[in-house]
Amino acid sequence: MRNIVVITLSSIIVALAYNLLLIPHEILSGGLSGIAIMLGIITPLNTGVLNLLLNLPLLILGVLKLGKRFIGYTILSVVVLSVSLYIIPVYKATQDPILASLFGGVIVGLGLGMIFRAAGSSGGFDIIAMLLSRKRDFPLGTLISAMNGIVVAISGFVFSWDAALLTLVSIYATGKVVDTIHTSHIKLTMMIITSKGEEVKQQLLEKLHRGVTIMDAKGAYSGEGRKVLITVITRYQLADVKATIKEADAKAFVNILQTTEVIGVFDRGIK
């Protein structure tokens, strides 16, 4: 329920940034939303309707590749964003296009980052970026920014190169804020000491795409046998992993360290 509320409110925040800051100055956002904004400006169709139609093929891809919960949250975000774009009137909140591009990008990045932290996305290029991030472990915001070069070029040819540069500022600000909030590329090493090693191991293997190393240990004071489980996760997964460990063994001792670098296979099952 918390994730649903966060995704709903964050999607509305993104729509506000579009209709109050970016669209009035013909500044595009990134990805398919940016293309939807452009088509909404040059055609009679509403941006919200276009955003929903453009996202349908990638939502189908997400269902096949990213799991039901993630794509369910993404569908929620796309629907709320599209409806909000349709309902919220387009109003020029500032007369300065530079301020509009900068703050519009920051607010969009804030909304997208919160959506990502709630285990969803706003659709479009975000789905492709999420797939690449899971496979190759790159910063998510950087991936999104890289794929948005085509949107900047389109903006230059359709509107003006001033608009293209303002779009670039907006997309750059969005990517930086997403990286700051989402932080999925930050790694953590978890050392779990538990008397229920098998139960904890099974829970981690079922819910994570990560390898787990198990060692035997003995308590210095009690002399009782323990299992030590070591795994590396992303910062984005921490809340889910802690809940998983607590479910398997509420008395487990867990030490969490930030990891500077990971060498070798990080994702279980990737060759």
Side-chain angles (χ1 to χ4, degrees):
M1 181 58 67
R2 186 194 66 175
N3 286 347
I4 290 173
V5 172
V6 169
I7 290 171
T8 300
L9 293 178
S10 299
S11 299
I12 294 173
I13 289 172
V14 173
L16 286 169
Y18 286 167
N19 281 4
L20 301 183
L21 293 169
L22 300 184
I23 292 177
H25 292 277
E26 297 184 342
I27 301 169
L28 305 185
S29 179
L32 289 186
S33 296
I35 297 174
I37 290 173
M38 180 194 68
L39 294 175
I41 292 173
I42 64 178
T43 71
L45 296 175
N46 181 270
T47 301
V49 175
L50 290 165
N51 185 67
L52 185 60
L53 293 176
L54 290 173
N55 272 285
L56 285 178
L58 286 177
L59 290 176
I60 295 172
L61 175 64
V63 170
L64 298 174
K65 298 291 186 180
L66 294 174
K68 293 181 179 179
R69 188 178 79 158
F70 172 79
I71 205 62
Y73 287 157
T74 299
I75 291 171
L76 171 65
S77 176
V78 170
V79 170
V80 173
L81 176 59
S82 300
V83 171
S84 299
L85 287 170
Y86 187 84
I87 294 175
I88 298 171
V90 176
Y91 174 77
K92 189 177 286 187
T94 175
Q95 300 299 318
D96 190 330
I98 297 177
L99 289 177
S101 66
L102 181 58
F103 283 96
V106 169
I107 294 171
V108 170
L110 175 64
L112 293 182
M114 293 304 296
I115 291 170
F116 284 134
R117 290 198 65 168
S121 83
S122 63
F125 287 176
D126 298 345
I127 294 177
I128 300 174
M130 186 70 78
L131 286 168
L132 293 175
S133 178
R134 290 185 176 188
K135 293 292 184 181
R136 290 291 179 266
D137 190 33
F138 291 129
L140 195 59
T142 303
L143 283 172
I144 295 172
S145 297
M147 291 189 296
N148 284 329
I150 188 171
V151 177
V152 176
I154 291 174
S155 176
F157 284 109
V158 174
F159 300 117
S160 68
W161 290 108
D162 284 345
L165 292 175
L166 290 171
T167 296
L168 185 61
V169 170
S170 172
I171 291 174
Y172 178 81
T174 296
K176 287 299 181 183
V177 175
V178 167
D179 274 348
T180 300
I181 295 175
H182 184 259
T183 62
S184 67
H185 56 288
I186 294 177
K187 305 297 175 298
L188 301 172
T189 296
M190 302 189 73
M191 179 179 292
I192 308 157
I193 303 175
T194 174
S195 59
K196 300 180 180 179
E198 191 63 28
E199 292 89 337
V200 175
K201 182 194 75 172
Q202 289 300 325
Q203 289 286 338
L204 292 176
L205 291 179
E206 288 176 8
K207 298 182 179 181
L208 292 176
H209 293 286
R210 301 286 182 256
V212 179
T213 299
I214 303 178
M215 297 183 293
D216 293 319
K218 185 171 69 172
Y221 177 75
S222 66
E224 297 177 359
R226 295 284 190 273
K227 294 291 184 181
V228 179
L229 289 76
I230 300 175
T231 187
V232 179
I233 64 171
T234 64
R235 176 65 179 82
Y236 172 66
Q237 295 174 304
L238 181 58
D240 287 340
V241 174
K242 289 196 294 186
T244 298
I245 295 170
K246 186 176 182 180
E247 180 183 339
D249 182 7
K251 296 182 179 180
F253 177 85
V254 183
N255 186 28
I256 303 170
L257 302 171
Q258 184 165 322
T259 302
T260 303
E261 184 178 3
V262 176
I263 300 173
V265 178
F266 178 56
D267 291 305
R268 178 167 51 84
I270 294 179
K271 307 297 183 184

